[in-house]
Amino acid sequence: MTHEISIVVARRFLAIRHLLAPPRALPAEPESVMAVVDRLGSLQFDPLEVAGRNHDLVLQARIGGYRRELADELLYGRRLLFEAYNKALNLLPTRELPYYRITWDRGALGWAAQLIAEQQPLTDKLLAAIEAEGPKSSADFEREPAIAWHWGPTMAVRAVLEALAITGRLGLARRQGNRRFYDLTERLYPADLLATRVPEREQLLHKLLSRYRGHGLLGATGSSELWAGTDSAVVRTELRAELLDRGEILQVTVEGVRGPRFIIGDELPLLAQAERECAPSAAVDAGPALDFATWSSEGASGCSFLAPLDPLIWDRNFLDPLYGFEYRWEVYTPAAKRRWGYYVLPIMFGDRLVGRVEPRIDRTSKVVRILGMSWEASFDPLDTPGFVSAFAAALNSYQYFAEAAAVIAPLDAAHGPLFRALDGQVKLLGEDPVRPSIGGVRVSSGKAAATS
């Protein structure tokens, strides 16, 4: 049986099941982190911290008063989460470790194992030191000559430590900045969990299911990075059919979107909730190319900044038919070819993507600098009911997450009216020794006033 849903219901369903309706509704406690992970299956890790690490931004959008220590304690203290390769490097529930051993098992037969064999004396030296003295990073050992590695020429110590982690002999004990400290896997995780073996096919089924858990409304195709680690397209087709037979995923069609989509089997109640909530506004909110001036924003009071690798926006090709929105993470795009900026976050209001913001956390000055913003065609942040206060709440929440004392508005004077409207709602700073002009906004003692 295929469920047919409107594009309006699809957007609302995703907002609800992604814990963004409203955003930041979960309390700042470890159980909330686990609730997000349980819903989404995994959180993609990326070490770049210009605006916050990716997984922290995912959590910050869903947990009120979130600070990075909440996830770090679950990773490196209580070890209810662990790092492993799934779609990419991900944070995963430790209880699911047996379902992700396939990465270690295949690593033990691949190029990582070959490197370990080629560097056997160094491997023995590193393992002996870690066994005797505890967690170590590459900086704890003498520098060895650079060798060929999958990222390029790399110091031998670093490459061997990474290879030992890929094969499961070492695990990540902790991070200090971008420095990784490794320990013996058997000292990091319970023996019974490490001893549990799950058939490879069940692991592949679980990994494929994790992609549908992450996004919530994926199709059967899409960019290759969506399906990394789930084997070939032929195998995925067989696995998807088995997940359908088991009822672990259900097929749906979304109006105006080509091809079938799939939801998690036990999320039908969330879909029904979305249908109930959309019934009054479906006729007005008709499609992605919406005129925001006529958009019914009832129930759309929440605003959030989405991480660049947030599961909600994994499927970049789906953003246009669903939201009329285009997004590309441009950190690896040459500066001259960037359209929006280096590290830009989509802005979500209610269940619509309405713009983009480029924040920077300056930990030395303890400020958040907004380098730029852009809005979707026909969306006016000042004329949209409820948006200014919702944006202020999102900005305040982000400022708290960044442990910043104030926010510095963009240089572009076009954003001056919005930031003047935020006067008294957000702690703005106008006297920046690095950037003397702040988007037409001058602030004294936290109050904004228009410059002449």
Side-chain angles (χ1 to χ4, degrees), residues 73-139:
E73 171 60 22
L74 294 172
L75 269 168
Y76 312 128
R78 296 169 62 185
R79 300 203 179 279
L80 297 181
L81 299 175
F82 78 111
E83 290 188 21
Y85 282 92
N86 187 24
K87 174 178 175 287
L89 186 59
N90 279 250
L91 309 186
L92 302 158
T94 304
R95 66 176 180 273
E96 294 183 8
L97 186 152
Y99 289 90
Y100 292 100
R101 289 192 65 104
I102 187 171
T103 303
W104 295 349
D105 295 340
R106 292 187 173 182
L109 299 173
W111 44 264
Q114 181 179 345
L115 175 74
I116 290 170
E118 292 171 353
Q119 298 287 330
Q120 196 63 57
L122 179 57
T123 297
D124 293 341
K125 173 184 173 181
L126 300 181
L127 288 173
I130 291 172
E131 183 174 8
E133 301 170 22
K136 297 285 187 183
S137 78
S138 59

Side-chain angles (χ1 to χ4, degrees), residues 347-387:
I347 300 172
M348 192 170 200
F349 180 48
D351 52 19
R352 297 303 302 261
L353 295 174
V354 300
R356 302 162 189 81
V357 61
E358 185 175 13
R360 288 292 182 277
I361 299 174
D362 187 332
R363 300 192 186 281
T364 302
S365 301
K366 294 189 179 301
V367 296
V368 170
R369 290 187 171 88
I370 305 299
L371 301 189
M373 294 192 302
S374 64
W375 306 106
E376 290 300 275
S378 81
F379 179 79
D380 188 327
L382 292 175
D383 286 347
T384 302
F387 181 77

Side-chain angles (χ1 to χ4, degrees), residues 324-345:
F325 190 82
E326 186 180 350
Y327 178 72
R328 180 179 180 183
W329 194 33
E330 297 180 307
V331 291
Y332 301 114
T333 303
K337 295 183 177 181
R338 288 177 193 144
R339 182 176 176 185
W340 294 296
Y342 176 67
Y343 203 106
V344 172
L345 312 181

Side-chain angles (χ1 to χ4, degrees), residues 3 6 52 63 66 105 110 113 129 175 243 255 270 274 328 331 334 367 395 403 422:
H3 299 263
S6 71
I63 299 173
Y66 174 80
D105 295 340
R175 288 179 183 265
L243 291 174
E255 65 166 329
L270 299 182
R328 180 179 180 183
V331 291
V367 296
L395 206 51
E403 301 183 59
L422 296 174

